[in-house]
Amino acid sequence: MRFDRENGVVTSKYTVIAGGVGAARFLRGLAAAVDPSSITAVVNTGDDGWINGLWVSPDLDTVTYTVSGAIDTERGWGLGDESWRVMESVGRYASVRPDGSSAANTWFNLGDRDLATHLYRTARLREGASLSAITDEIRRAWELSLRIVPMCDQPVATLVDIVDTDGTERRVSFQEYFVQRRHGVPVRDVHFDGAADAIPTFLPDIDSADAVVIAPSNPIVSIGPIRALAGVDAALSARRNSVVAISPIIAGAALKGPADRMLIELGHEASVVGVARLYAPICSTLVIDQRDTDSVARVEAEGLRCVVADTIMSSLDVARALALTTISAVA
Amino acid sequence: MRFDRENGVVTSKYTVIAGGVGAARFLRGLAAAVDPSSITAVVNTGDDGWINGLWVSPDLDTVTYTVSGAIDTERGWGLGDESWRVMESVGRYASVRPDGSSAANTWFNLGDRDLATHLYRTARLREGASLSAITDEIRRAWELSLRIVPMCDQPVATLVDIVDTDGTERRVSFQEYFVQRRHGVPVRDVHFDGAADAIPTFLPDIDSADAVVIAPSNPIVSIGPIRALAGVDAALSARRNSVVAISPIIAGAALKGPADRMLIELGHEASVVGVARLYAPICSTLVIDQRDTDSVARVEAEGLRCVVADTIMSSLDVARALALTTISAVA
């Protein structure tokens, strides 16, 4: 809660723990529901990495592009009105490295318009700027009022132990699992490389927020890296009464991505109850979809209050309504 | 000279000291005149640098694209059938850096198709590959048989002391002079930063060549950086009888670029005679254009043999004829 002495206005503060698509849609709804400058989006950077010589931060960009209304809504990632001239040309360099492996990444598509963002971020990283500072510059370039902060300025890599298509167990980067293998292989374990040494910059934003929202993102690989940073779970549990999560699992399935399979493969339940168990230590309230109404009692048995809402953000109106329901639940 | 024991064939070897456009056209002609695998192009990298987070090697790419026939002949640089979607989008990030300066470089145009080359080179540099190895991979991607070698694997930066548009003397990178200021400001001096510590990789190619050609490139900022490397002038003068240069100055003017003005500003003569004086210690023969026939005696007075030819490579046929004339002059 902030009191503006000059105008005598009391403003609430909202901190949103965010992954990619689902979180971005929620943030767009929240920015339409409340003063955008009262929102801080803390975004997963475990999916970040070097692609074709550029540092790519998929979740940060999905949030920026979605809140701007510039995202390609059909594809779900990248910019609308996009072209692919650069990627088409990268193919020439796919197999010229002596060992036959490919420095030219031809499976992670970067659109021509989108590439400008990666070029800018990479150029600024080379200059020694922090990812936080760069992210704020990109936010201003898109004329957004909400704050967008990477979960940390140090590189953290989400690594996935998979059983590969050839039957071999392999540890691969998140993008090698998610994009290159289209998350079509079993997952044995997940690691957040570098998380122990990374410093979360947003702990004050948890302490001072009127409501902390855990967005409807993959609990393991989107929210997981943020929770893996030192002090985050402690900060959240200290504010547990003000922390509300939205279940990314609806009627036992993820709307998008592998969250449902991944939960099962890692020994959890792919249901709102499974989500409730994962979040119970840090979160007092879970928003579940209306299709899961019959699970309310089981969620509450895990020690969380349960709120039922339409969580399928098929329009900005639904997202705004969900945002209002969510923050009201802990306000 | 190489003797192929199996086929009993004697092959000559040609080493070409090369800058950008003029050298690239000459190399295309030479590759049409002799077995391309007998050619080694040693290319200036003093113009290289970081542009929008990518390592750009303009002369290397001009050589590769030109010999491939993929260059945009009207523009004189970059690829044909090009588009500019990425650069159009980079503009968004032009002025969001806190100090107002621009990490987003909006004045050095990189086409969408061309960007694939810079992405590949940058990705491989990040992996620790040498510029020589990467250049060879790019050559193979373009299916060229001639060898293309950067003058060295260490970064060397051509710096230009200019009198800027505001009257201030400034030291700027070559591209800030050449592209950003369209070489429209006076030059006071030129430096090759890092040249003293760089190791030329091509000295054996000077020693073993049947003919060493100094291509029609800017003697100061294209051939100059190569000559600034330790041992290069000594290696060339040891082979002086086999070294032939083509004058980039025709009737007192450069076909392209600022070579004529730069020669005058740095105290030289903007003529074939001025070129002859610069090359006399390392070069026995100078090829001059037919428009400079009346300068033959003055060139020979500088101690060089003088050969007259059509040096304006307006077609592949002219370039091939010039190449044959040039190598014949010292064979």
Side-chain angles (χ1 to χ4, degrees), chain B residues 63-110:
Chain B
V63 166
T64 303
Y65 294 168
T66 301
V67 179
S68 304
I71 197 96
D72 185 290
T73 45
E74 283 194 25
R75 209 186 310 117
W77 54 269
L79 290 166
D81 184 26
E82 191 53 286
S83 53
W84 309 92
R85 294 272 288 173
V86 177
M87 285 306 296
E88 284 158 20
S89 302
V90 161
R92 176 184 293 277
Y93 299 112
S95 57
V96 289
R97 203 156 65 157
D99 65 359
S101 66
S102 180
N105 180 319
T106 53
W107 50 263
F108 195 95
N109 262 336
L110 297 172

mmCIF file of all heavy atoms in Angstrom, chain B residues 63-110:
data_model
loop_
_atom_site.group_PDB
_atom_site.id
_atom_site.type_symbol
_atom_site.label_atom_id
_atom_site.label_comp_id
_atom_site.label_asym_id
_atom_site.label_seq_id
_atom_site.Cartn_x
_atom_site.Cartn_y
_atom_site.Cartn_z
ATOM 1 N N VAL B 63 33.994 -10.321 -49.736
ATOM 2 C CA VAL B 63 34.737 -11.273 -50.569
ATOM 3 C C VAL B 63 33.895 -12.534 -50.798
ATOM 4 O O VAL B 63 33.695 -12.980 -51.936
ATOM 5 C CB VAL B 63 36.101 -11.615 -49.933
ATOM 6 C CG1 VAL B 63 36.724 -12.843 -50.598
ATOM 7 C CG2 VAL B 63 37.046 -10.417 -50.031
ATOM 8 N N THR B 64 33.372 -13.107 -49.716
ATOM 9 C CA THR B 64 32.592 -14.350 -49.841
ATOM 10 C C THR B 64 31.372 -14.149 -50.739
ATOM 11 O O THR B 64 31.120 -14.943 -51.650
ATOM 12 C CB THR B 64 32.132 -14.818 -48.440
ATOM 13 O OG1 THR B 64 33.292 -14.989 -47.622
ATOM 14 C CG2 THR B 64 31.359 -16.121 -48.517
ATOM 15 N N TYR B 65 30.628 -13.092 -50.463
ATOM 16 C CA TYR B 65 29.394 -12.859 -51.232
ATOM 17 C C TYR B 65 29.698 -12.546 -52.702
ATOM 18 O O TYR B 65 28.959 -12.942 -53.597
ATOM 19 C CB TYR B 65 28.600 -11.699 -50.621
ATOM 20 C CG TYR B 65 28.042 -11.938 -49.226
ATOM 21 C CD1 TYR B 65 27.515 -10.877 -48.480
ATOM 22 C CD2 TYR B 65 28.005 -13.207 -48.652
ATOM 23 C CE1 TYR B 65 26.979 -11.070 -47.211
ATOM 24 C CE2 TYR B 65 27.487 -13.410 -47.374
ATOM 25 C CZ TYR B 65 26.970 -12.331 -46.657
ATOM 26 O OH TYR B 65 26.447 -12.518 -45.403
ATOM 27 N N THR B 66 30.774 -11.785 -52.951
ATOM 28 C CA THR B 66 31.083 -11.401 -54.329
ATOM 29 C C THR B 66 31.554 -12.602 -55.143
ATOM 30 O O THR B 66 31.087 -12.834 -56.259
ATOM 31 C CB THR B 66 32.164 -10.299 -54.357
ATOM 32 O OG1 THR B 66 31.689 -9.170 -53.636
ATOM 33 C CG2 THR B 66 32.487 -9.876 -55.786
ATOM 34 N N VAL B 67 32.491 -13.376 -54.585
ATOM 35 C CA VAL B 67 32.993 -14.536 -55.331
ATOM 36 C C VAL B 67 31.858 -15.538 -55.565
ATOM 37 O O VAL B 67 31.798 -16.213 -56.590
ATOM 38 C CB VAL B 67 34.193 -15.182 -54.608
ATOM 39 C CG1 VAL B 67 34.699 -16.393 -55.377
ATOM 40 C CG2 VAL B 67 35.328 -14.164 -54.450
ATOM 41 N N SER B 68 30.901 -15.592 -54.614
ATOM 42 C CA SER B 68 29.736 -16.467 -54.785
ATOM 43 C C SER B 68 28.764 -15.944 -55.826
ATOM 44 O O SER B 68 27.839 -16.655 -56.213
ATOM 45 C CB SER B 68 28.961 -16.576 -53.468
ATOM 46 O OG SER B 68 29.772 -17.012 -52.434
ATOM 47 N N GLY B 69 28.904 -14.682 -56.210
ATOM 48 C CA GLY B 69 27.918 -14.069 -57.101
ATOM 49 C C GLY B 69 26.630 -13.703 -56.382
ATOM 50 O O GLY B 69 25.605 -13.452 -57.006
ATOM 51 N N ALA B 70 26.671 -13.654 -55.033
ATOM 52 C CA ALA B 70 25.462 -13.379 -54.258
ATOM 53 C C ALA B 70 25.386 -11.930 -53.789
ATOM 54 O O ALA B 70 24.373 -11.513 -53.216
ATOM 55 C CB ALA B 70 25.403 -14.311 -53.044
ATOM 56 N N ILE B 71 26.440 -11.174 -54.044
ATOM 57 C CA ILE B 71 26.484 -9.778 -53.582
ATOM 58 C C ILE B 71 25.391 -8.961 -54.274
ATOM 59 O O ILE B 71 24.970 -9.289 -55.377
ATOM 60 C CB ILE B 71 27.884 -9.160 -53.886
ATOM 61 C CG1 ILE B 71 28.141 -7.884 -53.071
ATOM 62 C CG2 ILE B 71 28.046 -8.848 -55.377
ATOM 63 C CD1 ILE B 71 28.910 -8.106 -51.819
ATOM 64 N N ASP B 72 24.923 -7.922 -53.609
ATOM 65 C CA ASP B 72 24.038 -6.975 -54.276
ATOM 66 C C ASP B 72 24.927 -6.040 -55.092
ATOM 67 O O ASP B 72 25.629 -5.198 -54.529
ATOM 68 C CB ASP B 72 23.223 -6.184 -53.257
ATOM 69 C CG ASP B 72 22.208 -5.271 -53.941
ATOM 70 O OD1 ASP B 72 22.628 -4.280 -54.565
ATOM 71 O OD2 ASP B 72 21.010 -5.573 -53.873
ATOM 72 N N THR B 73 24.913 -6.184 -56.406
ATOM 73 C CA THR B 73 25.882 -5.451 -57.242
ATOM 74 C C THR B 73 25.587 -3.958 -57.273
ATOM 75 O O THR B 73 26.508 -3.154 -57.345
ATOM 76 C CB THR B 73 25.902 -6.010 -58.679
ATOM 77 O OG1 THR B 73 24.549 -6.187 -59.101
ATOM 78 C CG2 THR B 73 26.611 -7.339 -58.726
ATOM 79 N N GLU B 74 24.317 -3.567 -57.190
ATOM 80 C CA GLU B 74 24.004 -2.131 -57.213
ATOM 81 C C GLU B 74 24.472 -1.444 -55.934
ATOM 82 O O GLU B 74 25.095 -0.394 -55.973
ATOM 83 C CB GLU B 74 22.505 -1.909 -57.398
ATOM 84 C CG GLU B 74 22.070 -2.127 -58.842
ATOM 85 C CD GLU B 74 20.686 -1.589 -59.113
ATOM 86 O OE1 GLU B 74 20.242 -0.666 -58.391
ATOM 87 O OE2 GLU B 74 20.042 -2.098 -60.035
ATOM 88 N N ARG B 75 24.126 -2.064 -54.796
ATOM 89 C CA ARG B 75 24.487 -1.479 -53.511
ATOM 90 C C ARG B 75 25.986 -1.596 -53.275
ATOM 91 O O ARG B 75 26.597 -0.722 -52.682
ATOM 92 C CB ARG B 75 23.715 -2.193 -52.401
ATOM 93 C CG ARG B 75 23.429 -1.347 -51.184
ATOM 94 C CD ARG B 75 22.797 -2.171 -50.055
ATOM 95 N NE ARG B 75 21.686 -2.965 -50.472
ATOM 96 C CZ ARG B 75 21.646 -4.297 -50.424
ATOM 97 N NH1 ARG B 75 22.672 -4.979 -49.947
ATOM 98 N NH2 ARG B 75 20.604 -4.964 -50.850
ATOM 99 N N GLY B 76 26.589 -2.704 -53.725
ATOM 100 C CA GLY B 76 28.021 -2.904 -53.577
ATOM 101 C C GLY B 76 28.393 -3.630 -52.302
ATOM 102 O O GLY B 76 29.545 -3.983 -52.093
ATOM 103 N N TRP B 77 27.438 -3.858 -51.426
ATOM 104 C CA TRP B 77 27.701 -4.617 -50.191
ATOM 105 C C TRP B 77 26.427 -5.392 -49.844
ATOM 106 O O TRP B 77 25.338 -5.077 -50.329
ATOM 107 C CB TRP B 77 28.100 -3.698 -49.030
ATOM 108 C CG TRP B 77 27.118 -2.599 -48.756
ATOM 109 C CD1 TRP B 77 27.120 -1.342 -49.291
ATOM 110 C CD2 TRP B 77 25.970 -2.651 -47.893
ATOM 111 N NE1 TRP B 77 26.061 -0.616 -48.826
ATOM 112 C CE2 TRP B 77 25.335 -1.383 -47.956
ATOM 113 C CE3 TRP B 77 25.425 -3.634 -47.063
ATOM 114 C CZ2 TRP B 77 24.179 -1.081 -47.232
ATOM 115 C CZ3 TRP B 77 24.277 -3.328 -46.336
ATOM 116 C CH2 TRP B 77 23.667 -2.071 -46.424
ATOM 117 N N GLY B 78 26.584 -6.392 -49.014
ATOM 118 C CA GLY B 78 25.438 -7.187 -48.592
ATOM 119 C C GLY B 78 24.912 -8.068 -49.703
ATOM 120 O O GLY B 78 25.472 -8.117 -50.799
ATOM 121 N N LEU B 79 23.842 -8.787 -49.401
ATOM 122 C CA LEU B 79 23.308 -9.780 -50.330
ATOM 123 C C LEU B 79 22.223 -9.211 -51.228
ATOM 124 O O LEU B 79 21.521 -8.266 -50.843
ATOM 125 C CB LEU B 79 22.739 -10.961 -49.539
ATOM 126 C CG LEU B 79 23.785 -11.829 -48.837
ATOM 127 C CD1 LEU B 79 23.134 -12.754 -47.825
ATOM 128 C CD2 LEU B 79 24.565 -12.637 -49.876
ATOM 129 N N GLY B 80 22.089 -9.804 -52.411
ATOM 130 C CA GLY B 80 20.962 -9.470 -53.273
ATOM 131 C C GLY B 80 19.673 -10.037 -52.694
ATOM 132 O O GLY B 80 19.707 -10.781 -51.714
ATOM 133 N N ASP B 81 18.542 -9.662 -53.283
ATOM 134 C CA ASP B 81 17.218 -10.132 -52.829
ATOM 135 C C ASP B 81 17.091 -9.939 -51.311
ATOM 136 O O ASP B 81 16.666 -10.839 -50.593
ATOM 137 C CB ASP B 81 17.022 -11.608 -53.215
ATOM 138 C CG ASP B 81 15.625 -12.104 -52.855
ATOM 139 O OD1 ASP B 81 14.690 -11.274 -52.785
ATOM 140 O OD2 ASP B 81 15.478 -13.323 -52.600
ATOM 141 N N GLU B 82 17.511 -8.773 -50.841
ATOM 142 C CA GLU B 82 17.602 -8.530 -49.396
ATOM 143 C C GLU B 82 16.338 -7.812 -48.880
ATOM 144 O O GLU B 82 15.605 -7.171 -49.645
ATOM 145 C CB GLU B 82 18.859 -7.683 -49.111
ATOM 146 C CG GLU B 82 19.255 -7.548 -47.649
ATOM 147 C CD GLU B 82 19.400 -8.885 -46.929
ATOM 148 O OE1 GLU B 82 18.368 -9.497 -46.636
ATOM 149 O OE2 GLU B 82 20.561 -9.287 -46.632
ATOM 150 N N SER B 83 16.080 -7.953 -47.588
ATOM 151 C CA SER B 83 14.997 -7.207 -46.924
ATOM 152 C C SER B 83 15.554 -6.648 -45.618
ATOM 153 O O SER B 83 16.640 -7.016 -45.195
ATOM 154 C CB SER B 83 13.793 -8.121 -46.679
ATOM 155 O OG SER B 83 14.196 -9.289 -45.989
ATOM 156 N N TRP B 84 14.816 -5.759 -44.971
ATOM 157 C CA TRP B 84 15.362 -4.969 -43.855
ATOM 158 C C TRP B 84 14.423 -4.936 -42.670
ATOM 159 O O TRP B 84 14.349 -3.963 -41.942
ATOM 160 C CB TRP B 84 15.664 -3.540 -44.366
ATOM 161 C CG TRP B 84 16.475 -3.583 -45.607
ATOM 162 C CD1 TRP B 84 16.011 -3.598 -46.897
ATOM 163 C CD2 TRP B 84 17.903 -3.715 -45.687
ATOM 164 N NE1 TRP B 84 17.062 -3.727 -47.772
ATOM 165 C CE2 TRP B 84 18.228 -3.791 -47.065
ATOM 166 C CE3 TRP B 84 18.926 -3.770 -44.721
ATOM 167 C CZ2 TRP B 84 19.551 -3.929 -47.493
ATOM 168 C CZ3 TRP B 84 20.227 -3.892 -45.157
ATOM 169 C CH2 TRP B 84 20.526 -3.968 -46.524
ATOM 170 N N ARG B 85 13.720 -6.066 -42.455
ATOM 171 C CA ARG B 85 12.726 -6.115 -41.384
ATOM 172 C C ARG B 85 13.355 -5.961 -40.004
ATOM 173 O O ARG B 85 12.809 -5.299 -39.131
ATOM 174 C CB ARG B 85 11.975 -7.450 -41.448
ATOM 175 C CG ARG B 85 11.140 -7.606 -42.702
ATOM 176 C CD ARG B 85 9.764 -7.039 -42.508
ATOM 177 N NE ARG B 85 8.984 -7.889 -41.626
ATOM 178 C CZ ARG B 85 7.781 -7.567 -41.167
ATOM 179 N NH1 ARG B 85 7.233 -6.424 -41.504
ATOM 180 N NH2 ARG B 85 7.116 -8.376 -40.371
ATOM 181 N N VAL B 86 14.512 -6.594 -39.801
ATOM 182 C CA VAL B 86 15.137 -6.527 -38.472
ATOM 183 C C VAL B 86 15.564 -5.088 -38.182
ATOM 184 O O VAL B 86 15.242 -4.543 -37.122
ATOM 185 C CB VAL B 86 16.340 -7.493 -38.370
ATOM 186 C CG1 VAL B 86 17.010 -7.354 -37.009
ATOM 187 C CG2 VAL B 86 15.900 -8.932 -38.600
ATOM 188 N N MET B 87 16.268 -4.474 -39.145
ATOM 189 C CA MET B 87 16.757 -3.110 -38.912
ATOM 190 C C MET B 87 15.599 -2.133 -38.685
ATOM 191 O O MET B 87 15.706 -1.222 -37.864
ATOM 192 C CB MET B 87 17.610 -2.635 -40.089
ATOM 193 C CG MET B 87 19.002 -3.240 -40.142
ATOM 194 S SD MET B 87 19.986 -3.051 -38.628
ATOM 195 C CE MET B 87 20.182 -1.270 -38.552
ATOM 196 N N GLU B 88 14.502 -2.331 -39.402
ATOM 197 C CA GLU B 88 13.341 -1.467 -39.193
ATOM 198 C C GLU B 88 12.851 -1.565 -37.745
ATOM 199 O O GLU B 88 12.413 -0.581 -37.164
ATOM 200 C CB GLU B 88 12.206 -1.861 -40.154
ATOM 201 C CG GLU B 88 12.422 -1.394 -41.597
ATOM 202 C CD GLU B 88 11.616 -2.207 -42.615
ATOM 203 O OE1 GLU B 88 10.628 -2.853 -42.213
ATOM 204 O OE2 GLU B 88 12.006 -2.204 -43.792
ATOM 205 N N SER B 89 12.963 -2.775 -37.184
ATOM 206 C CA SER B 89 12.475 -2.985 -35.818
ATOM 207 C C SER B 89 13.476 -2.524 -34.766
ATOM 208 O O SER B 89 13.095 -2.219 -33.635
ATOM 209 C CB SER B 89 12.136 -4.462 -35.608
ATOM 210 O OG SER B 89 11.163 -4.871 -36.551
ATOM 211 N N VAL B 90 14.762 -2.498 -35.124
ATOM 212 C CA VAL B 90 15.796 -2.064 -34.179
ATOM 213 C C VAL B 90 15.555 -0.611 -33.759
ATOM 214 O O VAL B 90 15.872 -0.209 -32.638
ATOM 215 C CB VAL B 90 17.206 -2.251 -34.791
ATOM 216 C CG1 VAL B 90 18.241 -1.415 -34.073
ATOM 217 C CG2 VAL B 90 17.606 -3.727 -34.764
ATOM 218 N N GLY B 91 14.963 0.162 -34.653
ATOM 219 C CA GLY B 91 14.709 1.575 -34.371
ATOM 220 C C GLY B 91 13.949 1.813 -33.074
ATOM 221 O O GLY B 91 14.156 2.826 -32.401
ATOM 222 N N ARG B 92 13.088 0.864 -32.701
ATOM 223 C CA ARG B 92 12.328 1.001 -31.459
ATOM 224 C C ARG B 92 13.237 1.193 -30.247
ATOM 225 O O ARG B 92 12.868 1.850 -29.275
ATOM 226 C CB ARG B 92 11.474 -0.261 -31.255
ATOM 227 C CG ARG B 92 10.697 -0.295 -29.954
ATOM 228 C CD ARG B 92 9.947 -1.609 -29.789
ATOM 229 N NE ARG B 92 8.891 -1.766 -30.765
ATOM 230 C CZ ARG B 92 7.673 -1.247 -30.648
ATOM 231 N NH1 ARG B 92 7.356 -0.531 -29.588
ATOM 232 N NH2 ARG B 92 6.771 -1.448 -31.587
ATOM 233 N N TYR B 93 14.435 0.600 -30.323
ATOM 234 C CA TYR B 93 15.339 0.620 -29.169
ATOM 235 C C TYR B 93 16.417 1.696 -29.278
ATOM 236 O O TYR B 93 17.408 1.659 -28.570
ATOM 237 C CB TYR B 93 15.982 -0.761 -28.997
ATOM 238 C CG TYR B 93 14.958 -1.842 -28.751
ATOM 239 C CD1 TYR B 93 14.715 -2.840 -29.688
ATOM 240 C CD2 TYR B 93 14.207 -1.840 -27.582
ATOM 241 C CE1 TYR B 93 13.758 -3.818 -29.465
ATOM 242 C CE2 TYR B 93 13.246 -2.811 -27.346
ATOM 243 C CZ TYR B 93 13.029 -3.798 -28.295
ATOM 244 O OH TYR B 93 12.077 -4.750 -28.062
ATOM 245 N N ALA B 94 16.211 2.653 -30.177
ATOM 246 C CA ALA B 94 17.284 3.610 -30.456
ATOM 247 C C ALA B 94 17.577 4.542 -29.287
ATOM 248 O O ALA B 94 18.696 4.985 -29.109
ATOM 249 C CB ALA B 94 16.958 4.414 -31.702
ATOM 250 N N SER B 95 16.593 4.867 -28.468
ATOM 251 C CA SER B 95 16.836 5.939 -27.493
ATOM 252 C C SER B 95 16.324 5.615 -26.098
ATOM 253 O O SER B 95 15.915 6.500 -25.370
ATOM 254 C CB SER B 95 16.176 7.222 -27.992
ATOM 255 O OG SER B 95 14.796 6.987 -28.202
ATOM 256 N N VAL B 96 16.377 4.340 -25.717
ATOM 257 C CA VAL B 96 15.876 3.972 -24.395
ATOM 258 C C VAL B 96 16.970 3.758 -23.366
ATOM 259 O O VAL B 96 16.697 3.497 -22.209
ATOM 260 C CB VAL B 96 14.981 2.709 -24.440
ATOM 261 C CG1 VAL B 96 13.665 3.032 -25.114
ATOM 262 C CG2 VAL B 96 15.676 1.560 -25.137
ATOM 263 N N ARG B 97 18.236 3.869 -23.789
ATOM 264 C CA ARG B 97 19.322 3.699 -22.838
ATOM 265 C C ARG B 97 19.360 4.923 -21.946
ATOM 266 O O ARG B 97 19.153 6.047 -22.418
ATOM 267 C CB ARG B 97 20.645 3.506 -23.579
ATOM 268 C CG ARG B 97 21.678 2.795 -22.747
ATOM 269 C CD ARG B 97 22.692 2.112 -23.611
ATOM 270 N NE ARG B 97 23.464 3.081 -24.380
ATOM 271 C CZ ARG B 97 24.664 2.809 -24.864
ATOM 272 N NH1 ARG B 97 25.210 1.630 -24.654
ATOM 273 N NH2 ARG B 97 25.310 3.688 -25.569
ATOM 274 N N PRO B 98 19.627 4.720 -20.634
ATOM 275 C CA PRO B 98 19.532 5.831 -19.673
ATOM 276 C C PRO B 98 20.329 7.067 -20.098
ATOM 277 O O PRO B 98 19.864 8.193 -19.948
ATOM 278 C CB PRO B 98 20.098 5.236 -18.385
ATOM 279 C CG PRO B 98 19.930 3.777 -18.519
ATOM 280 C CD PRO B 98 20.021 3.458 -19.981
ATOM 281 N N ASP B 99 21.543 6.865 -20.643
ATOM 282 C CA ASP B 99 22.368 8.032 -20.966
ATOM 283 C C ASP B 99 22.002 8.624 -22.328
ATOM 284 O O ASP B 99 22.656 9.547 -22.807
ATOM 285 C CB ASP B 99 23.864 7.677 -20.912
ATOM 286 C CG ASP B 99 24.251 6.664 -21.985
ATOM 287 O OD1 ASP B 99 23.365 6.242 -22.747
ATOM 288 O OD2 ASP B 99 25.437 6.307 -22.049
ATOM 289 N N GLY B 100 20.967 8.085 -22.947
ATOM 290 C CA GLY B 100 20.506 8.652 -24.210
ATOM 291 C C GLY B 100 21.309 8.191 -25.406
ATOM 292 O O GLY B 100 20.887 8.352 -26.543
ATOM 293 N N SER B 101 22.498 7.609 -25.156
ATOM 294 C CA SER B 101 23.274 7.094 -26.271
ATOM 295 C C SER B 101 22.612 5.818 -26.776
ATOM 296 O O SER B 101 21.743 5.262 -26.120
ATOM 297 C CB SER B 101 24.716 6.823 -25.847
ATOM 298 O OG SER B 101 24.737 5.775 -24.903
ATOM 299 N N SER B 102 23.038 5.368 -27.906
ATOM 300 C CA SER B 102 22.313 4.301 -28.569
ATOM 301 C C SER B 102 23.091 2.999 -28.591
ATOM 302 O O SER B 102 24.092 2.885 -29.280
ATOM 303 C CB SER B 102 21.969 4.722 -29.994
ATOM 304 O OG SER B 102 21.256 3.693 -30.637
ATOM 305 N N ALA B 103 22.636 2.012 -27.804
ATOM 306 C CA ALA B 103 23.191 0.666 -27.960
ATOM 307 C C ALA B 103 22.636 0.062 -29.232
ATOM 308 O O ALA B 103 23.280 -0.736 -29.886
ATOM 309 C CB ALA B 103 22.833 -0.207 -26.766
ATOM 310 N N ALA B 104 21.400 0.469 -29.573
ATOM 311 C CA ALA B 104 20.816 0.007 -30.827
ATOM 312 C C ALA B 104 21.435 0.817 -31.955
ATOM 313 O O ALA B 104 21.226 2.009 -32.063
ATOM 314 C CB ALA B 104 19.311 0.190 -30.803
ATOM 315 N N ASN B 105 22.229 0.143 -32.761
ATOM 316 C CA ASN B 105 22.885 0.809 -33.871
ATOM 317 C C ASN B 105 21.913 0.840 -35.053
ATOM 318 O O ASN B 105 21.578 -0.181 -35.622
ATOM 319 C CB ASN B 105 24.161 0.039 -34.230
ATOM 320 C CG ASN B 105 24.905 0.671 -35.376
ATOM 321 O OD1 ASN B 105 24.297 1.104 -36.342
ATOM 322 N ND2 ASN B 105 26.207 0.737 -35.268
ATOM 323 N N THR B 106 21.461 2.048 -35.388
ATOM 324 C CA THR B 106 20.478 2.180 -36.471
ATOM 325 C C THR B 106 21.123 2.693 -37.757
ATOM 326 O O THR B 106 20.434 2.837 -38.758
ATOM 327 C CB THR B 106 19.348 3.141 -36.064
ATOM 328 O OG1 THR B 106 19.936 4.371 -35.635
ATOM 329 C CG2 THR B 106 18.505 2.564 -34.932
ATOM 330 N N TRP B 107 22.429 2.971 -37.735
ATOM 331 C CA TRP B 107 23.080 3.523 -38.930
ATOM 332 C C TRP B 107 23.907 2.496 -39.698
ATOM 333 O O TRP B 107 24.287 2.743 -40.839
ATOM 334 C CB TRP B 107 23.924 4.749 -38.600
ATOM 335 C CG TRP B 107 24.897 4.578 -37.445
ATOM 336 C CD1 TRP B 107 24.681 4.947 -36.151
ATOM 337 C CD2 TRP B 107 26.209 3.994 -37.480
ATOM 338 N NE1 TRP B 107 25.774 4.624 -35.379
ATOM 339 C CE2 TRP B 107 26.733 4.051 -36.171
ATOM 340 C CE3 TRP B 107 26.997 3.445 -38.492
ATOM 341 C CZ2 TRP B 107 28.002 3.563 -35.836
ATOM 342 C CZ3 TRP B 107 28.258 2.952 -38.158
ATOM 343 C CH2 TRP B 107 28.743 3.026 -36.844
ATOM 344 N N PHE B 108 24.207 1.366 -39.093
ATOM 345 C CA PHE B 108 24.939 0.331 -39.823
ATOM 346 C C PHE B 108 23.923 -0.719 -40.260
ATOM 347 O O PHE B 108 23.496 -1.550 -39.480
ATOM 348 C CB PHE B 108 26.022 -0.295 -38.941
ATOM 349 C CG PHE B 108 27.041 -1.094 -39.723
ATOM 350 C CD1 PHE B 108 28.231 -0.514 -40.123
ATOM 351 C CD2 PHE B 108 26.792 -2.406 -40.077
ATOM 352 C CE1 PHE B 108 29.169 -1.239 -40.854
ATOM 353 C CE2 PHE B 108 27.730 -3.139 -40.805
ATOM 354 C CZ PHE B 108 28.918 -2.547 -41.199
ATOM 355 N N ASN B 109 23.525 -0.666 -41.507
ATOM 356 C CA ASN B 109 22.455 -1.534 -41.994
ATOM 357 C C ASN B 109 22.908 -2.977 -42.149
ATOM 358 O O ASN B 109 23.937 -3.239 -42.774
ATOM 359 C CB ASN B 109 21.953 -1.021 -43.346
ATOM 360 C CG ASN B 109 20.695 -0.196 -43.188
ATOM 361 O OD1 ASN B 109 19.967 -0.354 -42.208
ATOM 362 N ND2 ASN B 109 20.430 0.674 -44.141
ATOM 363 N N LEU B 110 22.145 -3.884 -41.566
ATOM 364 C CA LEU B 110 22.388 -5.306 -41.745
ATOM 365 C C LEU B 110 21.097 -5.903 -42.301
ATOM 366 O O LEU B 110 20.052 -5.852 -41.651
ATOM 367 C CB LEU B 110 22.749 -5.960 -40.411
ATOM 368 C CG LEU B 110 24.038 -5.473 -39.730
ATOM 369 C CD1 LEU B 110 24.168 -6.065 -38.331
ATOM 370 C CD2 LEU B 110 25.266 -5.823 -40.568
#
